[in-house]
Amino acid sequence: MKNFVVKTLANAGALGVAIWLVQDITLTGESTGKKALTLILVALVFGLVNFLVKPIVKLLTLPLFILTLGLITLVVNALMLMLTSWLADLFDLSFHVEGFWTAVLGGLIISLVSWALNVVLPDGD
């Protein structure tokens, strides 16, 4: 359970950095508290997408992973971020990613920040 909370907080931090750095990734809200709650909920959706959908997509695109020496990971991460944006819209969360290239840049930022946060944050059961 503690590991789930740590990973969700790392995702929320990584999403927050991407929102801060990339102009076309937006999170809107009336107050700071609502924005923080929305960010946590989007992090949960993002974690769920990465847990359920990403392994299937990676398996289906395995030949492309081998052919591109793993660079297709950027595209897969961008697609997972766009899927998260679409699901956030379905759940009426005010998170939006505008365009594929924005998602590629956002996915790269989220991957780097999430990796760094997972190294720093405690990992326990």
Side-chain angles (χ1 to χ4, degrees):
M1 182 66 179
K2 184 178 176 185
N3 192 24
F4 172 74
V5 172
V6 168
K7 288 197 180 288
T8 301
L9 289 176
N11 278 339
L15 284 164
V17 170
I19 291 165
W20 180 56
L21 290 176
V22 182
Q23 181 180 0
D24 290 334
I25 299 177
T26 57
L27 177 75
T28 55
E30 299 164 5
S31 66
T32 306
K34 284 195 174 206
K35 284 183 182 180
L37 178 62
T38 301
L39 187 60
I40 295 294
L41 292 175
V42 170
L44 286 170
V45 171
F46 187 66
L48 193 62
V49 165
N50 280 330
F51 180 73
L52 295 176
V53 178
K54 192 173 183 177
I56 296 168
V57 172
K58 277 184 153 182
L59 182 64
L60 294 175
T61 59
L62 185 62
L64 288 175
F65 274 94
I66 295 167
L67 185 66
T68 64
L69 301 174
L71 288 177
I72 195 73
T73 303
L74 293 172
V75 174
V76 171
N77 288 343
L79 293 174
M80 297 304 108
L81 188 58
M82 291 180 75
L83 179 60
T84 300
S85 176
W86 180 74
L87 288 171
D89 188 42
L90 284 180
F91 293 124
D92 202 27
L93 299 171
S94 55
F95 173 77
H96 186 68
V97 177
E98 184 67 41
F100 175 74
W101 293 110
T102 301
V104 169
L105 181 59
L108 181 63
I109 291 169
I110 290 168
S111 294
L112 291 173
V113 173
S114 181
W115 170 79
L117 287 175
N118 280 316
V119 166
V120 172
L121 292 173
D123 188 23
D125 290 327

